Amino acid sequence: MSDQMHTTAVPQAGIMLRAARGSVWTAMSFVASQGFRLGSNLILTRLLFPEAFGIMALVTMILVGLTLFSDMGTGPAIMQSKRGDEPDFLNTAWTVQILRGGFLWLAACALAYPAALFYDQPLIAQLLPVASLSLLCAGFEPTRVDTANRHLLLGRLTALDLAATLFGIAVMLILAAAMRSVWALALGGVVTGLTRLVLLTVFLPGARNRLHWDRDAGRELMHFGFWIFLASVCGFLVSQGDRVILGKYLSIQGLGVYNIGAFLAMFPVMLGATVTSRILIPIYREHPEGSDPVARARLVRLRFYLTGGLIACLTFFALAGPFIVRLLYDDRYTSAGGVMVAIASIQMVAMVFLTYDQAALARGDSRGFFVVSAAKAMLQTFGFLIGAHYLGLAGAMIGQVVGMLLYFPIISRLAWRHKVWDARHDALFLTLALLLGGFAVWVNWSDVALLVPGSGGGFHGGATR
């Protein structure tokens, strides 16, 4: 399927048809790329040691932190703005992206040595400046990516994404076989970023970007982006807070095993986040508050299908986690099965309110988006930290569940304010999530029990690094 980019007119296909197509393209690409990543991960665990994955988890955590701590929301701004198709607006956004990419690389270089000292891993000082070159590449990616997302023309974009991922994985495997070092993981990420930049620049249709500054566009981007920046700081705690905390509580080997379990369990969550971030802002933008009943009914159905499908996937991962780990990995990674069960069970609760915050972005309410992001970050991080302090990894998981339940009324209020709250949906799926999650933990209790301190699962504080 070929996507013809229109920057001045909305495509003729209805928004829901485009959303359906976009969802299919996004899901297919995501499943394929994650499948190839899983295959490469299985090979890499036989070529490298668990410590390599632990070190790379710390490097990745720092890179994600830098990315989120400098996020100005240019992508969501382009997707929701009335000027989102104007060349001056797009070129101004591209200029901001380039400046941000250069800043991120310099910041990574500056943080490399302090991070190596903090985590007592000297290799981080060498890995971080190299791995962060992928952030520099991302800054030069054309805004045609955001235009494609704005109009839900995702066919060619997802194909190019997948091609870049496959090439990067192939290079990573070749390097791992030759080097038998964590450097293969770092260099593979850089190759993926550079390949993605080249493919998007050459093959994605649309007008070429140029350096430009439009004062009004810059003002709009900065106003919208200020709250996105603050929300992204909170997003770092939500997405990477577990690794920040566990990096001090677990041995580097234990962190590597945890990272394997988390990678497997978060597959449905990442799929849901990818789909919602690409399709919901355009849908909410074209169906504003007080839209007709037919459009509202379609949104209700879409939300039911999305939440139900994601919870079903997480249920499978929670029930089959230990079996999957034993089937795919050797004995060094057995404890990852319990991690997989716990994380998949916890994330069922998060799926209930996954779609609500995008409504705020679609209506330009970046401040409201920040408020709920800050609440989620604080509740989940404090719950994780307190639990980890008293009961190790098992306590951290319990604390995270408590944090999510306390967050529920806060995100519901935002959804109610933007007239997208669905009480029937929330009551049904929250009950289902708690029952299914509890059942999965009960079925796999012997594996989940390995997360408790003193169980012999390898997840304990104060370990020798």
Side-chain angles (χ1 to χ4, degrees):
M1 174 176 145
S2 175
D3 290 337
Q4 297 300 318
M5 198 70 62
H6 299 283
T7 58
T8 59
V10 176
Q12 294 299 314
I15 182 67
M16 287 300 178
L17 178 58
R18 283 181 280 134
R21 291 174 178 170
S23 299
V24 171
W25 275 113
T26 301
M28 288 175 58
S29 173
F30 183 86
V31 170
S33 63
Q34 291 301 310
F36 284 114
R37 284 194 176 104
L38 174 59
S40 68
N41 187 268
L42 296 177
I43 298 172
L44 289 169
T45 56
R46 286 155 175 81
L47 296 174
L48 306 175
F49 291 96
E51 289 83 354
F53 297 98
I55 293 173
M56 199 59 204
L58 294 175
V59 171
T60 301
M61 177 267 294
I62 296 169
L63 294 181
V64 172
L66 286 172
T67 302
L68 294 177
F69 273 65
S70 63
D71 186 10
M72 296 303 294
T74 54
I78 292 170
M79 292 173 69
Q80 66 84 34
S81 175
K82 294 179 180 179
R83 297 189 61 189
D85 289 321
E86 296 180 13
D88 285 349
F89 189 88
L90 294 172
N91 288 325
T92 302
W94 189 62
T95 303
V96 171
Q97 286 181 189
I98 292 175
L99 293 173
R100 175 173 171 260
F103 165 78
L104 288 177
W105 182 72
L106 292 174
C109 293
L111 285 174
Y113 184 66
L117 290 179
F118 181 78
Y119 286 110
D120 193 22
Q121 294 295 328
L123 196 54
I124 291 178
Q126 303 171 44
L127 286 168
L128 194 55
V130 175
S132 61
L133 289 172
S134 61
L135 304 181
L136 188 62
C137 294
F140 284 89
E141 289 185 3
T143 57
R144 283 168 278 162
V145 173
D146 304 302
T147 303
N149 287 322
R150 174 180 171 86
H151 294 300
L152 295 173
L153 300 172
L154 303 179
R156 186 174 299 189
L157 175 60
T158 52
L160 295 175
D161 274 339
L162 184 58
T165 299
L166 293 180
F167 184 76
I169 287 174
V171 171
M172 187 183 300
L173 292 175
I174 293 171
L175 291 174
M179 304 172 70
R180 301 298 176 104
S181 164
V182 68
W183 277 102
L185 304 179
L187 293 172
V190 176
V191 170
T192 301
L194 182 59
T195 304
R196 175 182 159 88
L197 171 61
V198 172
L199 291 178
L200 293 176
T201 301
V202 175
F203 296 109
L204 198 62
R208 303 286 177 178
N209 287 117
R210 59 184 178 84
L211 293 175
H212 178 74
W213 187 261
D214 179 276
R215 182 178 299 177
D216 291 336
R219 186 181 299 114
E220 180 179 341
L221 286 166
M222 295 303 166
H223 175 75
F224 184 84
F226 173 73
W227 296 106
I228 295 294
F229 160 71
L230 295 179
S232 296
V233 172
C234 301
F236 169 76
L237 293 177
V238 172
S239 65
Q240 300 293 318
D242 56 344
R243 292 162 179 83
V244 173
I245 296 169
L246 295 178
K248 294 298 289 183
Y249 276 89
L250 301 183
S251 66
I252 198 66
Q253 180 179 358
L255 182 61
V257 173
Y258 172 85
N259 208 49
I260 293 293
F263 165 75
L264 294 171
M266 291 296 287
F267 173 83
V269 180
M270 292 187 292
L271 172 60
T274 302
V275 171
T276 56
S277 65
R278 287 195 174 185
I279 70 170
L280 282 181
I281 289 181
I283 291 176
Y284 284 136
R285 187 188 71 237
E286 297 196 23
H287 290 297
E289 298 176 14
S291 60
D292 65 271
V294 175
R296 182 174 179 80
R298 289 173 177 170
L299 281 171
V300 169
R301 286 198 301 272
L302 174 64
R303 190 177 292 117
F304 262 78
Y305 292 145
L306 184 61
T307 306
L310 292 173
I311 289 180
C313 289
L314 283 167
T315 301
F316 169 76
F317 278 69
L319 289 171
F323 172 76
I324 292 173
V325 170
R326 292 188 181 98
L327 178 66
L328 300 179
Y329 296 91
D330 60 50
D331 292 342
R332 295 173 299 171
Y333 300 92
T334 300
S335 299
V339 174
M340 194 173 170
V341 175
I343 292 180
S345 299
I346 292 169
Q347 291 303 318
M348 290 184 204
V349 176
M351 294 303 96
V352 177
F353 39 79
L354 178 67
T355 61
Y356 286 147
D357 56 0
Q358 300 298 310
L361 291 179
R363 276 76 188 260
D365 183 17
S366 55
R367 182 179 181 275
F369 181 76
F370 158 68
V371 170
V372 296
S373 298
K376 185 177 183 179
M378 287 188 293
L379 290 170
Q380 287 191 207
T381 303
F382 279 116
F384 197 94
L385 181 60
I386 294 171
H389 180 73
Y390 288 103
L391 290 173
L393 187 54
M397 298 298 180
I398 295 171
Q400 197 170 33
V401 173
V402 173
M404 286 185 180
L405 292 175
L406 294 175
Y407 169 70
F408 184 70
I410 300 173
I411 187 63
S412 296
R413 184 179 183 277
L414 178 77
W416 175 81
R417 183 152 56 89
H418 288 290
K419 300 182 180 180
V420 296
W421 185 48
D422 188 341
R424 185 167 65 97
H425 164 278
D426 293 357
L428 171 63
F429 285 111
L430 183 58
T431 302
L432 198 60
L434 292 172
L435 291 175
L436 291 173
F439 178 69
V441 170
W442 176 72
V443 169
N444 293 297
W445 178 248
S446 60
D447 291 279
V448 177
L450 294 176
L451 309 184
V452 179
S455 64
F459 299 111
H460 51 276
T464 302
R465 290 180 177 275

